[in-house]
Amino acid sequence: MAISAEPIIYGLIFVGVLVLVEGLYLTLFGRSISLNSRVNRRLELLQKGSKRSDVMDKLRKEMNQHGRSMGIPLYSILATKAQKAALAFSPGQLILIIAGVSVLAFLGLTFATESALAVRAALAPMMGIGGVYFWVNSKAKKRISMIEEQLPDAVELMVRSLRVGHPFASAVQIVSKEIKDPLASEFGIIADECAYGRDVGDALKDMAERIGLQDLRFLAVAVTIQQQSGGNLAEILAGLAQVIRARFRLFRRVKAITAEAQWSGKFLSSFPVVALIVINVGKPDYYDEVLDHPYFIPACIFVAVFLTLNLVVMRILTDIKV
């Protein structure tokens, strides 16, 4: 029996979607915005001659634009991840990219496969939305992972600055210059906001909520309490740095221990869906003999319900809280 090449074509089109979005991102905004770059983007913009206030407004707009667009239909699926990834794409641009890559995926399916129109019309938006979501999610995960790794060193640098006599605002400014992105630009925004009169505790709280990282919330709470009740901030932050570093090591250990269970859950959850797609693409007439059976539609609903329950249960079993 000849093996159909259509599943391979579908996979290549999906990969092409990811490459296209990444290429557009780097072409429009340059390598400096890529997480693969070791450049402090805020300092780079300042060195090009931009005003400090203009750089602050530009970076704040990029970091907050997705959080303000949660109510946009379709885009709300990506809003949380896009905000954590701090994408320079605006919500409107991202929606246009989803529509564009969906159209390209439809054209690719039309010329490269013999699938029915209904199948192409269903798969093309799924590839567009799924591909962009996968890309945004990978950006968000990479950025959050880098922030988690940088944060203990940043807090310890603030501790050393405080111990030699610098005020906390100056310690934040030093961190924004000495460490790398993505955390450098985040602390740079805080330093600029404090220079224009904003309370540093409020700025830290906003950053913690935008990024959604618990360790940053600890930092914001520690600074706020010290401002209200006093105390040795250097000692408080030194203890916090030890806690953050210990939590980071624990999370890495748990991640390594549970990796097998998580991948098993992903495989067991995705295998039935993948098998169904492969069967329908490789042999479209596979279910023709039972389509008219009175139990066919109820059986499909029954299977769909249990597949959904399988996804929920496997998610619960593999989502280990620390």
Side-chain angles (χ1 to χ4, degrees):
M1 182 182 68
I3 300 177
S4 175
E6 289 191 357
I8 299 176
I9 295 174
Y10 292 163
L12 292 175
I13 292 174
F14 185 79
V15 173
V17 168
L18 299 178
V19 174
L20 175 62
V21 176
E22 180 73 12
L24 284 173
Y25 196 63
L26 296 181
T27 300
L28 292 175
F29 300 106
R31 292 290 301 177
S32 63
I33 203 167
S34 173
L35 291 179
N36 295 325
S37 176
R38 301 295 294 176
V39 174
N40 185 320
R41 186 161 179 257
R42 173 178 166 271
L43 294 183
E44 183 184 37
L45 292 174
L46 290 173
Q47 290 173 357
K48 290 180 178 179
S50 301
K51 293 182 180 179
R52 187 178 182 183
S53 59
D54 293 339
V55 172
M56 181 181 69
D57 290 340
K58 178 180 177 63
L59 294 179
R60 285 180 64 184
K61 181 180 178 181
E62 290 178 359
M63 292 174 180
N64 295 317
Q65 63 184 345
H66 303 284
R68 295 193 298 264
S69 306
M70 295 287 186
I72 298 178
L74 181 65
Y75 180 75
S76 59
I77 302 172
L78 301 173
T80 302
K81 298 295 184 181
Q83 179 173 319
K84 292 181 178 180
L87 294 180
F89 279 144
S90 67
Q93 289 173 331
L94 207 54
I95 292 174
L96 288 176
I97 288 172
I98 292 174
V101 296
S102 297
V103 171
L104 291 176
F106 181 82
L107 294 176
L109 292 172
T110 300
F111 291 107
T113 68
E114 298 179 356
S115 302
L117 178 62
V119 174
R120 284 178 278 145
L123 285 179
M126 290 174 60
M127 287 183 176
I129 297 173
V132 173
Y133 179 84
F134 182 85
W135 177 77
V136 172
N137 187 49
S138 65
K139 290 284 186 183
K141 285 184 176 180
K142 184 175 181 179
R143 186 169 185 268
I144 295 299
S145 177
M146 292 177 69
I147 290 176
E148 287 177 335
E149 189 172 351
Q150 290 177 311
L151 187 57
D153 294 333
V155 175
E156 289 177 352
L157 181 56
M158 284 191 287
V159 170
R160 292 194 293 270
S161 299
L162 292 171
R163 283 176 174 169
V164 299
H166 292 291
F168 184 71
S170 297
V172 173
Q173 181 70 30
I174 291 171
V175 169
S176 70
K177 293 180 179 179
E178 296 298 328
I179 64 174
K180 304 295 183 181
D181 272 347
L183 196 56
S185 292
E186 292 283 354
F187 273 94
I189 290 294
I190 294 175
D192 291 340
E193 289 177 338
C194 292
Y196 284 97
R198 190 179 186 189
D199 181 73
V200 65
D202 292 338
L204 284 169
K205 287 179 183 177
D206 284 350
M207 180 181 70
E209 292 303 320
R210 183 178 67 252
I211 297 176
L213 192 60
Q214 189 65 33
D215 292 334
L216 286 173
R217 294 190 180 100
F218 293 158
L219 175 62
V221 170
V223 173
T224 302
I225 292 176
Q226 191 276 337
Q227 286 180 328
Q228 296 174 353
S229 60
N232 190 334
L233 184 57
E235 294 300 325
I236 295 173
L237 294 183
L240 179 61
Q242 293 179 357
V243 171
I244 293 174
R245 200 175 291 280
R247 279 168 51 86
F248 181 73
R249 288 198 298 266
L250 177 61
F251 289 152
R252 286 292 178 92
R253 183 183 179 93
V254 170
K255 185 176 180 180
I257 293 174
T258 60
E260 181 180 358
Q262 290 179 353
W263 280 104
S264 297
K266 292 177 182 178
F267 174 79
L268 293 174
S269 298
S270 61
F271 179 77
V273 178
V274 174
L276 179 64
I277 294 173
V278 171
I279 289 172
N280 280 277
V281 171
K283 193 175 182 183
D285 58 345
Y286 186 81
Y287 293 105
D288 286 354
E289 296 181 2
V290 295
L291 284 176
D292 298 330
H293 197 282
Y295 292 145
F296 181 76
I297 299 300
C300 290
I301 297 174
F302 181 81
V303 171
V305 170
F306 271 84
L307 280 176
T308 304
L309 289 176
N310 170 69
L311 292 172
V312 174
V313 172
M314 294 305 301
R315 175 67 178 175
I316 293 173
L317 290 176
T318 58
D319 187 18
I320 299 175
K321 301 294 183 181
V322 180

